[in-house]
Amino acid sequence: MSDASADVAKVAELIRDFRFAMVTTISTLGELVARPLTVQEAEFDGDLWFIVARDSNEVAELEINPSAGVSFASNDTWVSLTGTAEQLDDPARVAEYWNPFVEAWFPDGPDDPNVTLIKFSASGAEYWDSPGGRVASVVSFVKSKITGSVGDVGENAKVDLD
């Protein structure tokens, strides 16, 4: 496995179980705006897909500036992705991703003309992974306070995904 594919595999492993992500776009006023969106594809290959409303703010913002960020957080894993995103129409992909949760937002079904996709293409990532969660973090904190040395805070790396 090449370094690049190993990097993608590591990021994929870290985000595999996340259902929701915070997607950040740039508003028409130049401000960063983050909103929760449901990740539609379980297998990360550098791209993430989201079903959204065609008339949503995020679609309008991405038409002006495609720069975007996606972040994930749990008790022991944090991942931040940078890249670009675009609105795409792909009825076959919408049908593939369609589920009862999406239908709650779009009761007219996948053929609703307001249903569309955002495809996020990652160019880079940074992650922090602290296996063992809170318990390991607390033990590391206590150890560093007692010994005066910085404890093991887990793994942190920046990954180039281009």
Side-chain angles (χ1 to χ4, degrees):
M1 184 182 297
S2 72
D3 286 347
S5 59
D7 289 341
V8 171
K10 177 64 178 181
V11 173
E13 173 192 336
L14 292 173
I15 69 173
R16 177 182 56 234
D17 295 329
F18 285 98
R19 261 316 264 141
F20 303 98
M22 291 299 289
V23 178
T24 303
T25 57
I26 301 171
S27 77
T28 56
L29 300 174
E31 300 170 330
L32 296 174
V33 181
R35 56 191 54 87
L37 294 178
T38 305
V39 179
Q40 297 301 324
E41 189 172 44
E43 290 300 318
F44 176 73
D45 59 1
D47 298 330
L48 294 170
W49 293 87
F50 305 93
I51 295 177
V52 298
R54 183 180 309 280
D55 62 359
S56 65
N57 288 334
E58 53 269 29
V59 168
E61 292 161 359
L62 291 168
E63 287 175 358
I64 295 168
N65 186 338
S67 296
V70 177
S71 58
F72 304 88
S74 70
N75 287 333
D76 58 1
T77 302
W78 301 266
V79 180
S80 174
L81 304 173
T82 57
T84 58
E86 62 183 323
Q87 179 266 321
L88 291 174
D89 291 314
D90 185 340
R93 194 176 289 270
V94 168
E96 176 187 345
Y97 295 153
W98 199 259
N99 62 67
F101 298 108
V102 175
E103 195 158 330
W105 293 102
F106 300 100
D108 292 335
D111 296 326
D112 179 335
N114 199 35
V115 172
T116 192
L117 295 163
I118 288 178
K119 177 186 179 186
F120 173 81
S121 300
S123 57
E126 185 167 9
Y127 64 85
W128 299 262
D129 188 27
S130 178
R134 286 186 180 167
V135 173
S137 296
V138 168
V139 168
S140 180
F141 174 75
V142 170
K143 180 179 174 185
S144 70
K145 291 304 256 178
I146 292 170
T147 65
S149 64
V150 176
D152 178 17
V153 294
E155 182 181 359
N156 169 242
K158 289 185 179 182
V159 176
D160 182 7
L161 297 172
D162 273 338

